[in-house]
């Protein structure tokens, strides 16, 4: 491996929680009589919970319809539903290619970090049996700026003590690829056909990570 560190997104890279985020937002949007489909959902990937709700409101011309307290309550409602979905997850939900990538990195002494802005990331990693599989897991509660800001990738690289240019970031969302580039890192993008991403290394699925030269 040429990379001196790997920094992985969680939702959509290590596991497919992106579908649960979508189902939970969809249920909330339906209950409010709002339009929301999978194309709209692409804009929510890698974006914080409240920012995600703001995007749904904007799509529906409802940005000024609710107070901050009401918005918090709706976000909480979405999160409760999301938590009920992730409570069913097991190690079988780790996406293909990820165990092989982690084993290769370990064998070659390349540290690996998780750059997820999800406050549920520790619970998801625990359900997958991966809590102890990373050298560093960013604390989403301490990240002040969501992707596409590079903050979370820079925090991970700093924690690992690796120069930004020697890090490879792996993402499934446009905001994430933008964040990796803004951090001065090399990017790998998953599901590029569906999302129209422009990463340095485009992949159609995580399976390709098993043998990819990084
Ligand atoms: P939560 P990532 C992001 O995770 C998701 O892509 C995004 O859809 C979600 O809104 C965000 O986490 C916040 O998640 O509500 O669980 O705190 O892609 O950075 O792993
Ligand atoms: Mg993601």
């Amino acid at each position: 491996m040429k990379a001196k560190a790997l920094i992985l997104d969680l939702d959509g890279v290590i596991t497919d929680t992106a579908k649960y985020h979508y189902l939970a937002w969809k249920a909330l949007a339906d209950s409010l009589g709002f339009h929301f489909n999978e194309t709209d959902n692409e804009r929510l990937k890698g974006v914080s919970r409240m920012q995600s709700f703001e995007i749904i409101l904007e799509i529906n011309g409802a940005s000024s319809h609710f107070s901050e307290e009401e918005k918090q309550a709706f976000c909480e409602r979405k999160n409760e539903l999301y938590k009920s979905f992730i409570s069913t997850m097991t190690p079988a939900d780790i996406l293909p290619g990820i165990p092989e990538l982690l084993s290769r990195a370990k064998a070659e002494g390349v540290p690996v970090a998780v750059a997820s802005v999800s406050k549920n990331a520790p619970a998801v990693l625990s359900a997958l049996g991966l809590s102890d599989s990373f050298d560093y897991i960013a604390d989403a509660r301490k990240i002040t700026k969501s992707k596409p800001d590079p903050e979370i990738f820079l925090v991970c690289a700093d924690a690992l003590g690796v120069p930004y240019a020697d890090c490879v970031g792996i993402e499934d969302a446009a905001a994430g690829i933008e964040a990796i580039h803004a951090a001065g890192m090399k990017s790998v993008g998953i599901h590029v056909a569906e999302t129209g991403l422009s990463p340095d290394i485009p992949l159609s699925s995580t399976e390709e990570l098993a043998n990819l030269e990084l």
Side-chain angles (χ1 to χ4, degrees), residues 9-13 15 17-18 45-46 115 147 170-173:
D9 173 43
L10 173 64
D11 293 334
V13 171
T15 188
T17 36
K45 291 185 177 175
K147 302 162 188 174
I170 309 180
E171 262 288 350
D172 71 317

Side-chain angles (χ1 to χ4, degrees), residues 1 96-102 104 203 205-214:
M1 238 180 239
I98 296 296
E100 294 85 348
L101 179 69
L102 296 181
R104 271 203 297 143
L203 302 183
S205 109
T206 55
E207 218 165 329
E208 295 167 63
L209 290 168
N211 301 307
L212 186 72
E213 187 48 50
L214 288 169

